[in-house]
Amino acid sequence: MNGHLEAEEQRDQRPDQELTWSWGHRPRSALDRAEAMAPPPPPPLAASTPLLHGEFGSYPARGSRLALTLTPQALHIQRLRPKPEARPRGGLVPLAEVSGCCTLRSRSPSDSAAYFCIYTYPQGRRGGRLGGRRRAARTFRADGAATYEENRAEAQRWAIALMCLLRGLPLPGDGEITPELLPRPPRLLLLVNPFGGRGLAWQWCKNHVLPMISEAGLSFNLIQTERQNHARELVQGLSLSEWDGIITVSGDGLLFEVLNGLLDRPDWEEAVKTPVGILPCGSGNALAGAVNQHGGFEPALGVDLLLNCSLLLCRGGSRPLDLLSVTLASGSRCFSFLSVAWGFVSDVDIQSERFRALGSARFTLGTVLGLANLHTYRGRLSYLPAAVETASPTPAHGLPRAKSELTLAPAPAPAPPVAHSPLHRSVSDLPLPLPLPKPALTSPGSPEPLPILSLNGGGPELAGDWGGAGDAPLSPDPLLPSPPSSPKALLSPITEGVPEMPTTSGLPPPTPDAPGAISTRGPPDHLLPALGTPLPPGWVTLEGDFVLMLAISPSHLGADLVAAPHARFDDGLVHLCWVRGGISRAALLRLFLAMERGSHFSLGCPQLGYAAARAFRLEPLTPRGVLTVDGEQVEYGPLQAQVHPGLGTLLTGPPGRPGREP
């Protein structure tokens, strides 16, 4: 299936960028590099090509016999007895709704059957429309052979094939499906902001995220952040070779900390390649909205958006992520994955902070208050246009060419060093030497406790899933035995402090307490002259009164706001949107309402402008105002930024339907 998806995407892929559709791992050894250079898999199969077909019993046992057919995109279920059905209810299980599966055995010694269970999150119906997702477990009985060993082999064959499809791994053409096809479980570091999403982030993580990634067989270590910039300090001291991804369970702000922490390491060139992901549990979930659209799902909010993004994470798959290097008036630099905002958008973002207890509704209230007290700001926007025309909307105004000069204020004194506190409040399914509190984890709709899983692929034992009146209960039957060189022994404690440096890096070890607030790490901004010096030829400058200026990298400004409909994670562009002064409150409100569908450029608003650029400079000429980078307030004054294409790696899951990718 993923080969088919990859073929669909190849016409949009630049040759210098690598797209990964499976839970692949960064090459760390000669063997890994050899595997990465292996011949390509066989040609992709059609979506309806049967891969496996067989007859199974149902569990709990009700005398039903089922015919199962596995294709690259779905599991088809047809009832054979007692009453055959051509199209039974629930007979089609799309793999996009499956988080994982496991094999089981009966606790009854006389039962020679084996079992496999799949975990699904189908969407319900509300008034004829698609509603929220609800967890369901489907268990099937392999009993066609006389011995348990033969039945177990058949159940494992189906479970392994299903897991390969879920993780984007090719199945062998000879039909020989063995446990060796499955790689070791990916190791994820989950960072949770317990104060995100009206304080519900930890509850959502415990009730929804941890059960699902456990069902998918992903290994994890979870840490709750305790203060601002805690995540940034943490990733600066991580041994990154032990992790296959860093996942933030919060809003956009926590991922901002992680990316800037990676780019502030002495080994930033290698560190920034660490795949990062986001599971939305905050009030601002813009990147998650773009990931949701990339996966082909309908727009969603709240728990529905979280479940969608969790499903995509379980499937694996990454994409290069453009990052924006932003230089502020003081000369300090930070990196943005989302947006730079000035005017109405940044005003609403910061002034609505006092309504944070309302969750995402804070932005609605902030927008109403901002419209009631609408301001205009005088400023100068200059940008380097993209060399290649895109399919994005064209600007509504003519673009005169000009140069700009500006004198900078002196840089502030270096900030004092930050004292590091020890990490705690951790939960893990890996045997790390950390304090491991075990709160009762529950899956959606089930009150039974969910124990933390082993690394070997066992499944969560839920009585509601694997037991019924008159049926012997089932126990997990791991797919993968522990190999002799288990990664368990290779993991070291998570500590803050000096990051692990490769022996061939040639870089001096970092000094945690060294003074200096300006970081020289990260790639150079070769397109930008020094802030305050004239711009080179080829730049375009606009000067006047603005209601807002927005520079955005992905498609979404919020989970339900599509500011740049044609933007992609790796298009190498920053998308500039601005609204000039003179717009009415009603017209501005119509723009934001249309932005929920990404149709605001079709309104023909004369004050709305757009340009695709590779770099830009913003010079506020109004003495007071608010500037934000990824929703975080920064110093007010002139700034400039440049796109660094594909600098980061984002865990997105497989792409959805063609034409819906951001």
Side-chain angles (χ1 to χ4, degrees):
M1 175 177 62
N2 292 277
H4 174 69
L5 295 173
E6 184 174 0
E8 291 287 336
E9 292 292 324
Q10 281 180 346
R11 57 177 176 271
D12 297 325
Q13 180 182 346
R14 295 201 296 273
D16 60 334
Q17 291 182 333
E18 177 185 359
L19 308 185
T20 305
W21 302 133
S22 66
W23 262 118
H25 312 295
R26 302 186 306 281
R28 302 189 185 113
S29 66
L31 176 61
D32 292 329
R33 283 189 287 270
E35 291 176 351
M37 299 172 62
L45 299 171
S48 59
T49 302
L51 302 174
L52 292 176
H53 181 79
E55 181 178 330
F56 292 83
S58 63
Y59 182 88
R62 297 186 180 91
S64 298
R65 302 298 296 175
L66 306 171
L68 303 186
T69 303
L70 181 63
T71 70
Q73 290 191 357
L75 176 66
H76 300 258
I77 306 171
Q78 183 179 4
R79 193 169 72 185
L80 301 176
R81 291 195 302 271
K83 182 180 179 181
E85 289 181 323
R87 305 179 70 89
R89 183 178 179 182
L92 178 66
V93 181
L95 298 191
E97 297 178 348
V98 177
S99 63
C101 65
C102 67
T103 54
L104 311 164
R105 70 173 302 171
S106 174
R107 293 180 183 174
S108 171
S110 61
D111 190 354
S112 63
Y115 302 81
F116 76 95
C117 176
I118 63 171
Y119 305 101
T120 68
Y121 290 80
Q123 285 188 289
R125 291 278 176 179
R126 295 174 183 168
R129 302 175 59 184
L130 286 176
R133 295 189 183 277
R134 297 184 65 87
R135 178 185 179 279
R138 304 284 297 269
T139 304
F140 306 98
R141 174 186 172 100
D143 54 5
T147 65
Y148 168 73
E149 288 71 21
E150 293 175 291
N151 289 324
R152 180 176 185 263
E154 180 67 5
Q156 284 195 342
R157 193 166 73 98
W158 278 76
I160 292 168
L162 188 57
M163 289 301 296
C164 286
L165 293 177
L166 292 177
R167 294 187 180 179
L169 301 172
L171 291 174
D174 58 7
E176 188 68 22
I177 299 173
T178 63
E180 288 71 26
L181 293 175
L182 293 177
R184 63 154 177 82
R187 298 188 296 256
L188 303 180
L189 177 61
L190 305 184
L191 301 179
V192 182
N193 174 12
F195 306 105
R198 296 178 295 171
L200 296 175
W202 170 239
Q203 194 69 26
W204 284 9
C205 179
K206 184 175 65 172
N207 290 350
H208 303 292
V209 175
L210 298 187
M212 189 183 292
I213 65 175
S214 296
E215 294 161 359
L218 308 182
S219 295
F220 68 90
N221 180 271
L222 181 148
I223 295 175
Q224 295 188 45
T225 59
E226 300 174 342
R227 61 187 180 277
Q228 190 173 14
N229 284 323
H230 189 184
R232 179 171 184 156
E233 299 162 12
L234 170 65
V235 299
Q236 286 176 325
L238 280 180
S239 175
L240 294 175
S241 61
E242 296 175 354
W243 305 101
D244 297 304
I246 301 175
I247 313 299
T248 60
V249 187
S250 184
D252 295 313
L254 201 59
L255 185 58
F256 176 81
E257 291 187 21
V258 168
L259 286 170
N260 280 274
L262 293 174
L263 282 156
D264 203 27
R265 292 169 56 113
D267 60 340
W268 66 266
E269 289 182 88
E270 187 66 26
V272 75
K273 298 175 185 177
T274 303
V276 297
I278 189 166
L279 296 179
C281 289
S283 51
N285 299 311
L287 187 63
V291 170
N292 183 70
Q293 178 175 294
H294 171 271
F297 293 131
E298 294 296 323
L301 297 172
V303 173
D304 291 337
L305 178 62
L306 174 62
L307 292 176
N308 286 354
C309 291
S310 299
L311 277 172
L312 292 170
L313 176 67
C314 291
R315 298 289 302 277
S318 62
R319 195 173 185 94
L321 177 66
D322 296 341
L323 296 180
L324 198 64
S325 168
V326 183
T327 303
L328 305 176
S330 64
S332 61
R333 191 167 72 141
C334 61
F335 289 85
S336 161
F337 65 90
L338 183 58
S339 66
V340 176
W342 175 55
F344 183 80
V345 172
S346 58
D347 291 347
V348 168
D349 203 354
I350 299 305
Q351 293 172 11
S352 66
E353 282 284 343
R354 62 184 186 271
F355 309 124
R356 183 170 284 275
L358 300 177
S360 60
R362 65 178 257 223
F363 298 114
T364 303
L365 180 56
T367 299
V368 172
L369 297 177
L371 287 170
N373 192 26
L374 192 61
H375 295 284
T376 58
Y377 301 88
R378 187 155 192 85
R380 185 181 300 124
L381 172 64
S382 305
Y383 62 91
L384 178 63
V388 180
E389 291 295 327
T390 68
S392 301
T394 55
H397 299 278
L399 304 176
R401 297 181 178 273
K403 291 184 178 180
S404 171
E405 296 184 29
L406 196 64
T407 303
L408 296 181
V418 178
H420 294 254
S421 66
L423 296 173
H424 60 282
R425 292 195 289 176
S426 303
V427 176
S428 179
D429 75 335
L430 297 176
L432 301 179
L434 290 168
L436 300 177
K438 296 185 179 180
L441 305 183
T442 58
S443 59
S446 176
E448 290 80 16
L450 173 61
I452 294 176
L453 304 184
S454 69
L455 187 66
N456 300 332
E461 185 172 351
L462 299 179
D465 293 340
W466 305 337
D471 294 289
L474 306 181
S475 299
D477 184 15
L479 286 174
L480 298 177
S482 297
S485 57
S486 171
K488 295 178 183 180
L490 303 178
L491 296 174
S492 63
I494 294 181
T495 57
E496 289 183 286
V498 179
E500 179 189 50
M501 295 296 301
T503 56
T504 58
S505 66
L507 296 172
T511 305
D513 297 330
I518 300 175
S519 174
T520 58
R521 293 166 184 159
D525 296 327
H526 63 283
L527 298 178
L528 296 174
L531 190 55
T533 62
L535 293 167
W539 284 62
V540 176
T541 297
L542 304 171
E543 184 172 335
D545 293 328
F546 295 88
V547 170
L548 67 87
M549 197 292 297
L550 177 67
I552 189 166
S553 297
S555 55
H556 284 56
L557 179 60
D560 56 349
L561 288 178
V562 189
H566 295 83
R568 296 162 54 108
F569 297 122
D570 58 347
D571 57 12
L573 303 173
V574 56
H575 302 269
L576 302 176
C577 308
W578 62 85
V579 175
R580 288 186 176 270
I583 190 172
S584 68
R585 291 177 174 84
L588 186 60
L589 178 60
R590 283 195 295 271
L591 282 180
F592 277 90
L593 291 175
M595 197 179 291
E596 295 181 0
R597 303 178 301 276
S599 59
H600 46 295
F601 289 108
S602 64
L603 296 181
C605 176
Q607 289 84 17
L608 176 63
Y610 169 85
R614 299 169 62 200
F616 72 93
R617 176 183 288 179
L618 175 62
E619 302 162 274
L621 304 178
T622 301
R624 299 180 62 183
V626 176
L627 283 168
T628 59
V629 176
D630 291 359
E632 305 295 322
Q633 187 171 2
V634 297
E635 59 184 285
Y636 188 70
L639 60 78
Q640 60 185 19
Q642 171 186 328
V643 179
H644 291 277
L647 182 61
T649 302
L650 180 66
L651 293 169
T652 60
R657 298 188 299 272
R660 296 205 53 182
E661 178 186 0

